[in-house]
Amino acid sequence: MPDAVKVGFVAFPAATRGVLVVFCDDALKYGAETRKALGTAADTLKRAAAANQFKGKSASTLDMPAPEGIKAERLIVVGLGKVADIEEKDFLRFGGVTAGKLNAASTVVTIIAELPDGAMPADAAAAIASGIRLRAYRFDRYKTKKKEGESETLRADVSLAVGDVAAARKAFAPASHVVDGVIMARELVNEPPNILYPVEFARRASQLRKLGVDVEVLDVPAMKKLGMGALLGVAQGSTQPGRTVIMRWHGGKKGDQPVAFVGKGVCFDTGGISIKGAASMEDMKGDMGGAACVVGLMHALAARKAKVNVVGAIGLVENMPDGNAQRPGDIVTSMSGQTIEIINTDAEGRLVLADVLWYVAKKFKPKFMVDLATLTGAIMVALGTEYAGMFSNNDELSERLSRAGNETGERVWRMPLGPEYDKLIDSKFADVKNAGVRNGGSITAAQFLQRFVDNTPWAHLDIAGTAMGAPNTDINHSWGSGYGVRLLERLVAEHYEAKK
Ligand code: BES
Ligand code: MN
Ligand code: ZN
C-alpha cells in the first residue's frame, strides 16, 4: 500500500505553514529555532498550556488553532519529558503521537526538530520520521466505503526542519528501509487468507529479487525429495499446496558463515482435524506472522545493503481438515529422520518449523538461527502482548536479543528449557510427539523445535502475543504489528555486520 504520508527534511528556518509541530521539555522549555518561529505567540501558548494542564510530559501533546502571530493554521506541542531521560525508542513515539494527531485537513506539516538545548541528533530526527511512517500506516485496501466517523485517508506532506539536512537524510535512508520492512510484514499479516495462501505468499517473497536477494521456492515435489514429511503432513489437508521459500542476501564476504532467520508461515490455521472453536478463528490468518517478519527483515537488510550474509527461510502451509488431512495418531518422518507422532493436528507450527530448521542448519551451517512463530496460545497466558517468549540454547545470542529488544521496544523475555521438559514430548510409538500436556505448553513446543536444530546456536521467539491483535501503541494502529523486523534488524546491525 503506498504511503499516504510523505516525510522529508528541510533546513532552518522552518516555514510555519499548515500544521506546525514543536517540542518542549518538562519545564516547557523550547529551543532557539522554535522560539523564533513562535515569536509573539509564545505568550498565548504559555496560557494554553496552563489552561490544559500541559506539562511537557513525554509523548503528551497540546493541540490548538495556531495563535495570533504564527502563519500556521494549527499548532501541536509534543512533550519530550526530561531530556536526559529520552531513549531512542522515545523518538519513535514522538513521531508516532505527532502522526496520530493528523487528519484529512493536515496536508502540509512542519516539525521543528530540535531539543530545548540545541540541535537534535540526526539519528533522533530520523527516528521521529520513522515513528511518523509507522503510525500513519493503515490497512484499508478492502474498504470501498468510509463509514460515518471513520477518518478519511491522510495525504500529508511532513517536513522535519533540522540544523543539518544532509546528516538527517543520511540517517533516515537506512531507517526508512527498515520501516518499509515493518510495513511489508504488517501487510502480509493483515491480508485475508483467501488472498494470501502459500503460493501467493511465495510469489510476494519472490519480489525481493528486485533488491538482489536470491529467492528459491521449493514446491511439493522438491520438498518430498528432501524428505520434509513433517511440513508436508500439515500441508496435505489443504487444496492449497505448501511451499518453502529460501531467501539469501549476500552482503558479507564470500564464504562468510551466514546468519539465519526462520519463520512459521501457516497462512491459515483451522487446527486441522483437531479443529479449533469458531470464536476468533478468523485471527488465524495471522498465523504466518513469523514468515511475514522474515520477509520484512530480508527486505530491510537488502534494501539498506547490509554487510552480512543472511539466509531467510519460511515454511508456508495451510492447516485444513479434509479427507486427506493428517490424523491424530499418524506418524510422520521428518527430514532429520526423526519420527513424529501426531497427537494434536493443531500443534502444526512446530511440524513446519522442524523441517525448515533442519534444512537450514544442514544446508547453510549458519552462525545462528533465530526462528519466529505464532506458536502457542500459552505464551499469551504467560507474557500477554508486551514481550515475545524467547527460548535459546545460547546465552550470548539471548543476551544480544534482549538488548536489541530493550532498545527497539520489541522486547523478549527468556523462558526456560531443560531435560525435564524435554521428556514430556517423548512418544510411546515414535521418537517424539508433537504435543505434551497443557501445562508449560510454550516450553514443550520449544523443546520440540530444539530437537531439530542439532546444536546450532539458536533462539526461538514465540510471537503469538506480539505479532497480531496487540493493543494499539503510539507507533502502531494496525492489527498486524510487524513485530520482530526492527528487533532482528538491530541484532544484525549491532553484532554481525562488517563495520564500514
Ligand atoms: N497458531 C496457534 C497458536 C496461536 C493461538 C497463535 C492463538 C495466536 C493466537 C498454534 O498452531 C496452536 O494451535 N497451538 C496450540 C498447541 C496445542 C494444540 C498443543 C495451542 O496453543 O493451543
Ligand atoms: Mn494450530
Ligand atoms: Zn498455528
Side-chain angles (χ1 to χ4, degrees), residues 256-483:
D256 251 15
Q257 239 186 326
V259 298
F261 300 95
V262 174
K264 168 179 173 180
V266 176
C267 293
F268 194 75
D269 181 12
T270 64
I273 294 301
S274 315
I275 198 163
K276 291 180 180 294
S280 304
M281 200 203 271
E282 68 279 10
D283 287 353
M284 286 300 107
K285 72 173 183 176
D287 208 18
M288 27 54 71
C293 172
V294 172
V295 172
L297 175 67
M298 293 305 289
H299 174 97
L301 293 173
R304 71 164 180 76
K305 302 208 179 338
K307 291 185 162 44
V308 57
N309 296 332
V310 190
V311 175
I314 54 181
L316 302 169
V317 299
E318 198 177 55
N319 188 23
M320 299 288 272
D322 89 343
N324 195 45
Q326 73 178 349
R327 295 150 286 254
D330 281 5
I331 294 178
V332 297
T333 303
S334 67
M335 186 182 168
S336 73
Q338 296 174 84
T339 56
I340 305 166
E341 182 190 6
I342 308 301
I343 300 297
N344 188 320
T345 66
D346 197 10
E348 84 297 340
R350 64 199 74 181
L351 297 169
V352 172
L353 289 172
D355 280 335
V356 183
L357 284 167
W358 185 265
Y359 177 85
V360 170
K362 291 293 148 185
K363 173 131 189 187
F364 301 110
K365 302 197 171 24
K367 279 199 186 99
F368 67 77
M369 299 192 283
V370 174
D371 78 73
L372 303 104
T374 48
L375 204 63
T376 65
I379 203 67
M380 303 164 79
V381 176
L383 298 175
T385 58
E386 296 301 322
Y387 286 80
M390 172 172 67
F391 302 82
S392 180
N393 60 6
N394 188 286
D395 291 342
E396 183 185 63
L397 180 58
S398 298
E399 277 152 29
R400 289 175 172 183
L401 279 163
S402 292
R403 197 167 328 119
N406 292 334
E407 286 166 8
T408 57
E410 294 191 331
R411 292 176 296 176
V412 297
W413 192 264
R414 192 169 183 184
M415 305 280 285
L417 288 169
E420 304 79 2
Y421 294 112
D422 190 66
K423 71 171 194 280
L424 298 175
I425 52 168
D426 284 338
S427 159
K428 227 185 307 179
F429 301 107
D431 298 332
V432 62
K433 57 185 178 183
N434 81 327
V437 292
R438 210 172 105 93
N439 291 343
S442 302
I443 307 173
T444 47
Q447 292 292 163
F448 183 95
L449 299 180
Q450 192 177 8
R451 291 194 186 202
F452 297 87
V453 304
D454 199 31
N455 293 322
T456 308
W458 153 82
H460 154 59
L461 305 180
D462 193 334
I463 60 171
T466 53
M468 68 229 188
N472 287 341
T473 67
D474 287 333
I475 57 168
N476 182 41
H477 275 220
S478 144
W479 186 75
S481 65
Y483 176 95

Side-chain angles (χ1 to χ4, degrees), residues 12 21-36 38 56 58-59 77-88 90-92 94-95 111-128 160-164:
F12 290 137
V21 181
V22 299
F23 298 106
C24 72
D25 68 7
D26 62 351
L28 298 190
K29 192 171 169 214
Y30 300 86
E33 290 292 340
T34 308
R35 289 197 301 273
K36 250 191 268 171
L38 292 174
S58 180
V77 186
V78 177
L80 301 168
K82 198 179 289 307
V83 172
D85 294 346
I86 303 178
E87 292 177 34
E88 178 193 341
D90 295 318
F91 286 107
L92 284 176
F94 301 149
I111 301 175
I112 304 187
E114 66 173 345
L115 295 173
D117 295 311
M120 180 173 286
D123 285 349
I128 291 174
L160 284 93
V162 293
D164 187 341

Side-chain angles (χ1 to χ4, degrees), residues 213-250:
V213 177
D214 277 346
V215 182
E216 188 188 359
V217 179
L218 306 178
D219 61 9
V220 172
M223 291 189 284
K224 269 199 184 127
K225 211 159 145 198
L226 288 164
M228 292 186 162
L231 183 152
L232 290 168
V234 178
Q236 76 187 31
S238 172
T239 55
Q240 295 291 351
R243 292 285 185 269
T244 290
V245 180
I246 311 295
M247 297 155 273
R248 302 186 70 187
W249 168 249
H250 308 278

